Structures are given as structure tokens and as C-alpha cells.
Amino acid sequence: MAISLPNQKFSKQTLSVLITVFLACFIDGFDGSILNTALPFIAQAFDADVGTVSWLSLAYLLTVAGTILIFGKFASYGFLKKLFVSGSVLFVIGLLICLAAFSFPMLIAGRVVQGAGAAMLLSCASVICVRCLPEEGRGLGFGIVTVGTFIGIALGPVLGGFLLSSGSLKLIFLANLPLAILCVISALLLLPKDIVDKERKKFDIFGALLLFASMILGVYVLDTLPKASISDFTVLIPVLLFAVCFILFIAVSLKKKEPFFNLRIFKIKAVTLTLLASVILQIVFGGMLYLLPFYITNQFHADSVLCGSLLLIEPAVTAVLGGLFGYLSDTHGKRIFCILGSILLIVLYVWFALLNPAWGLIPFICMLAFSGVCYSMINGPMSGRLVDVTPKSEQETTATIAVSCMYLSSVLGTAVFSALFTAFTSTDGAVVSFGSLSEEVFRLGFAETMLVGMLCMILVTFLFFVIKEIRMKKAE
């Protein structure tokens, strides 16, 4: 028996697999958002600036972005169930490390282990969406992934706010432990046995290591540069190492017949422009998502419960509308939703830049809801569109690349927007800790950072506009 929607038909097995994927995306979104709610309080506890405490998020996001392509290769070889179960178990281990952490470095170590587990889960999720869904159902499929992620993002701040009000940061990590264990059980029971591709290509481990090193060094430079001169050896040496690793990665990828990452797909204009638009969009979104709890805490003097409740609004709207816009994009075309959503985001970031907390909470709440509408309008259609314009032989890899770029972009967004905000709020070149920032200085720094986001969204709108609606048959 199959369950049908107009133009889509899913078997019970496909639906059970999608439920497992939904759960994995949920715990990933939940984990990130519940921690984000706690970041201002962690910063105050350690007397840290906004940039330093951001490494709790960066450690997780960077690990996901750096390893997801590696795990995605193994997923495309057919090791879906083994990877999914292993990733779930590793995620649980990471949570246990965070619960047992007695220092800030140990907490970051736990986040790295969590990131590796999440990378396994998400690499499988992207391959499953390509393998299990028909072409005309991918917008809905990626919409379901978006819904799972954003329901997790929505619930995290609310629960995090209540848990923080108890005065224990440990509860933030304990909250996700039952869900992670449930993900292990779901994977064991619902995922079908692996069907391994016996003619799989040779794995390019050298290329994978070069790309991972480039990511780590690049983010470190972005985070460190606002605090030190380029002539400083702590910045100059990583810059040179980044350049060497990245150039070597490009050279190796172009030379090998079976590279870790096939750079030749960028010869397809639609692939290049869609991926570029996706990266810029996620950089802006990741940066805004990181700064919002600091804004709410500083400007509205919100406690953890109010902060978490406000952060619920945007992802809740995205969760409700994500599947709908994904389905509509399958029937009416993906391009129109990408263009309209990006235009509305330009308006949103201008609104954010002009926002005055003296207006009260109602305008701010409306902005958060409006932001949720915009992102739900873009995310599913954009992911489905990227796969549509890619040759069939590269679709699974491209889907994994899209997820990797999403997390790398979130890393870059956190690092770039944190660096911009730190630069805009510095006094005579001296970095000011979050707890010492006045409301006026914070508001001006936030407004200037949001204007940068607006400029980025103008570029995204242009990129979506120039990419014509291309069907899969034309891309092959």
C-alpha cells in the first residue's frame, strides 16, 4: 500500500525511512538551537566575548561541514544503515562527554564528537532524499527535511529557556539524550538493510583531508582576523596554510579521474550559481541566528525563558510552511519561490537594521514570523532545484555537497557575522566583552551587521533571477 499526494506516491517503506530522516534532522536542529539559547549565559559565566563563545557552535558546525562529504561518499556506496546507526551512537557519546565536561575545552571536544555523529546522519539523509524519492517529489522530500530541522530549532529555545531558568547548563545537553537514543532505535528498526555498490569508485582520502584542512584553517582565520593584524604570525601562518591546502585540493581534484569532489560539475552554470546563492543565503541566515539571542538579551533584558520563547517563533513558522512550499514548488516551479523569498528577505534585513526596541516586542515578533515565512519559501525549493540541474550521475554527491555547504555556510555565517559585530562594537580597536556592551553600542553594531546581510540578499536575488527554470532532462 502507498500513500499518495497529487503527483507524489510514497510506499510504506519510503515513509518509514523519511520518518527516520525527519527524526535525525529534528535532533540536529534541536541541539543547535537549545545551545544557542544558552550562549549569552555561557559568555557571561566565562566573561567571554561574543567571538570566543561562538566556538561552541563553530566546533559542531565545522565538524559537520568538514566530514559530511566524506560520510556522504560512503552513504552513496550503499552503507546507509551502518552510517546512520553509527552516527546516532556517536551523537549520544558526544552528549555524554558534554554532560561530563568539567572545562570549556572538554565541552568543545564533546561538540566535535556530536558534529561527527550529526555528519553521518545528515549525509545519509541527503542521499536518501535522492534515492527514495521520484524527481517530481523531491521538493516535498527536502521540504520534509526542512520541517524536521526547523521543528527542532523551534522547540530548542523554549525548552532551553525553561531548563536554564533552573540554573544548570548541564540540562541543555541532557534534554537531547532521549531523542538521540530514540534515533538509534528508529534506525535499527525502520531502515532497510544496506545494499552495497560492489562497483564503487575508489575513495580519494588525500582530497578529503585537504578540503577538511582548508575549512578549518579558513574559519580560524575569519574568526581571528578581527582581533589581530594580518602580519601577526597567529594569522599569517594559517592564511598561508589555508592557501596551500586549498590550491592543492583544487589541483588534486582536477587531476584525478575519480576525485573526492568532482569540481567539473561547476562547468554547469546553473549548478554553480544555485550553489553560490545557497551558500550566501545560509551565511546570512547562520549569522543572524547566532546574533539573535544576544540581541534579545541585551536590548529587551530578557531572561532565558522569554529569550527561548521568542526564538521559537521563526523556526516554528518555517516548520509549518516548509512542507507546503516544497510541495507547491514541485507543481508550480522552484524558481519563483526562490526569487520571491529572497526579495522579501531584503525587506526583512532593512527592517532589522531600523528596529528600535522602544517600539516594543510586537514589531520584533512580527519580524521573526516574517523571517520564518521567507526561509520556508526558499529552503525546500532551493535544495530540490540544485539536484534538478545536476546530471543524474552526480545527484547524490551534489545533494551531500548542498548539505555540507549549508553547514559550512552556517560556520562562516557565525564566524563572519560575529567578526563583523565584534569589529563594529570595538572601542579604539579593543574587543569589548558581551556583558560590558551598552545597549546603544550593541544596537548600532547589530544594525550595521544587518545591513551587510541586506547587501548579501540583493546578490542572492540576482543569482536566483538569472538561473532559468531547468528540468532534469536538460541537465543530463
Side-chain angles (χ1 to χ4, degrees):
M1 181 178 177
I3 296 177
S4 300
L5 290 169
N7 300 321
Q8 284 102 31
K9 189 175 183 179
F10 299 146
S11 67
K12 280 188 174 181
Q13 184 181 37
T14 300
L15 285 171
S16 66
V17 170
L18 285 176
I19 288 171
T20 307
V21 169
F22 175 92
L23 181 58
C25 294
F26 174 86
I27 66 171
D28 172 62
F30 181 79
D31 184 80
S33 66
I34 198 171
L35 180 71
N36 271 0
T37 307
L39 288 179
F41 303 95
I42 295 174
Q44 290 175 339
F46 286 90
D47 194 27
D49 61 85
V50 173
T52 299
V53 79
S54 70
W55 276 98
L56 279 177
S57 295
L58 290 176
Y60 178 88
L61 295 172
L62 187 58
T63 304
V64 174
T67 59
I68 194 170
L69 279 176
I70 298 174
F71 296 132
K73 282 290 183 182
F74 288 105
S76 66
Y77 293 160
F79 299 103
L80 286 170
K81 185 166 186 173
K82 288 184 177 65
L83 270 176
F84 211 98
V85 173
S86 300
S88 303
V89 171
L90 201 58
F91 196 92
V92 170
I93 293 172
L95 284 172
L96 293 175
I97 293 173
C98 290
L99 281 169
F102 52 82
S103 65
F104 195 76
M106 188 174 177
L107 198 58
I108 291 179
R111 295 291 290 164
V112 170
V113 175
Q114 278 186 271
M120 292 183 183
L121 295 173
L122 296 169
S123 62
C124 292
S126 60
V127 173
I128 286 170
C129 283
V130 175
R131 285 196 175 186
C132 298
L133 301 177
E135 292 176 16
E136 64 272 14
R138 283 179 188 149
L140 177 60
F142 282 110
I144 290 171
V145 170
T146 299
V147 169
T149 302
F150 278 87
I151 288 179
I153 292 174
L155 295 178
V158 177
L159 182 57
F162 281 106
L163 293 176
L164 285 169
S165 65
S166 70
S168 175
L169 292 173
K170 297 284 185 180
L171 293 175
I172 294 295
F173 302 101
L174 185 62
N176 213 6
L177 190 58
L179 296 172
I181 294 173
L182 180 61
C183 194
V184 176
I185 297 170
S186 175
L188 288 170
L189 296 179
L190 298 180
L191 291 183
K193 292 183 179 180
D194 291 335
I195 301 176
V196 180
D197 181 7
K198 295 181 180 180
E199 297 180 359
R200 58 185 180 271
K201 298 177 182 178
K202 186 178 179 181
F203 185 75
D204 177 19
I205 185 66
F206 185 55
L209 291 174
L210 285 173
L211 180 59
F212 187 44
S214 299
M215 290 178 176
I216 293 175
L217 291 166
V219 173
Y220 174 80
V221 169
L222 286 172
D223 183 70
T224 308
L225 197 56
K227 306 170 188 177
S229 169
I230 187 66
S231 60
D232 192 324
F233 279 106
T234 60
V235 178
L236 181 60
I237 292 177
V239 167
L240 294 176
L241 289 174
F242 165 76
V244 171
C245 290
F246 192 64
I247 292 171
L248 278 175
F249 167 71
I250 294 175
V252 169
S253 298
L254 292 176
K255 184 178 180 180
K256 288 194 173 185
K257 291 183 179 180
E258 298 176 356
F260 171 70
F261 177 31
N262 186 8
L263 294 175
R264 294 175 183 84
I265 64 171
F266 291 118
K267 290 182 179 180
I268 304 172
K269 179 181 176 182
V271 173
T272 302
L273 296 182
T274 304
L275 196 58
L276 178 60
S278 174
V279 167
I280 298 172
L281 176 70
Q282 296 297 339
I283 285 175
V284 176
F285 178 68
M288 182 192 70
L289 200 64
Y290 175 72
L291 287 178
L292 275 179
F294 292 97
Y295 182 90
I296 294 169
T297 303
N298 181 277
Q299 296 294 294
F300 293 111
H301 305 288
D303 58 18
S304 59
V305 175
L306 177 58
C307 182
S309 300
L310 291 174
L311 291 174
L312 159 71
I313 297 168
E314 178 184 20
V317 172
T318 303
V320 171
L321 297 178
L324 173 63
F325 282 120
Y327 165 68
L328 290 175
S329 72
D330 285 332
T331 56
H332 294 84
K334 301 176 177 68
R335 180 172 181 256
I336 182 63
F337 291 98
C338 292
I339 292 174
L340 181 58
S342 58
I343 290 173
L344 293 177
L345 281 172
I346 294 173
V347 176
L348 175 71
Y349 283 101
V350 173
W351 193 357
F352 264 127
L354 298 175
L355 182 65
N356 190 328
W359 300 342
L361 280 175
I362 299 301
F364 185 70
I365 290 172
C366 291
M367 291 172 64
L368 294 176
F370 183 67
S371 177
V373 173
C374 297
Y375 281 105
S376 63
M377 192 177 295
I378 293 179
N379 280 331
M382 180 176 63
S383 299
R385 196 170 187 217
L386 180 61
V387 175
D388 284 350
V389 299
T390 305
K392 185 164 287 187
S393 61
E394 297 289 343
Q395 284 185 347
E396 291 182 1
T397 301
T398 301
T400 307
I401 290 170
V403 178
S404 177
C405 286
M406 180 181 74
Y407 279 86
L408 178 59
S409 301
S410 296
V411 172
L412 292 174
T414 301
V416 171
F417 273 58
S418 172
L420 286 171
F421 180 81
T422 300
F424 291 146
T425 56
S426 296
T427 304
D428 298 325
V431 177
V432 182
S433 68
F434 169 69
S436 302
L437 284 175
S438 68
E439 292 180 33
E440 182 66 24
V441 171
F442 187 101
R443 184 163 60 250
L444 290 174
F446 184 81
E448 290 173 314
T449 308
M450 291 301 104
L451 288 175
V452 174
M454 177 207 68
L455 294 175
C456 292
M457 289 314 306
I458 292 174
L459 178 56
V460 169
T461 304
F462 172 76
L463 291 173
F464 281 142
F465 184 79
V466 299
I467 308 168
K468 303 301 179 184
E469 196 73 61
I470 299 175
R471 299 297 177 187
M472 191 56 228
K473 291 181 179 179
K474 294 182 181 181
E476 289 183 27

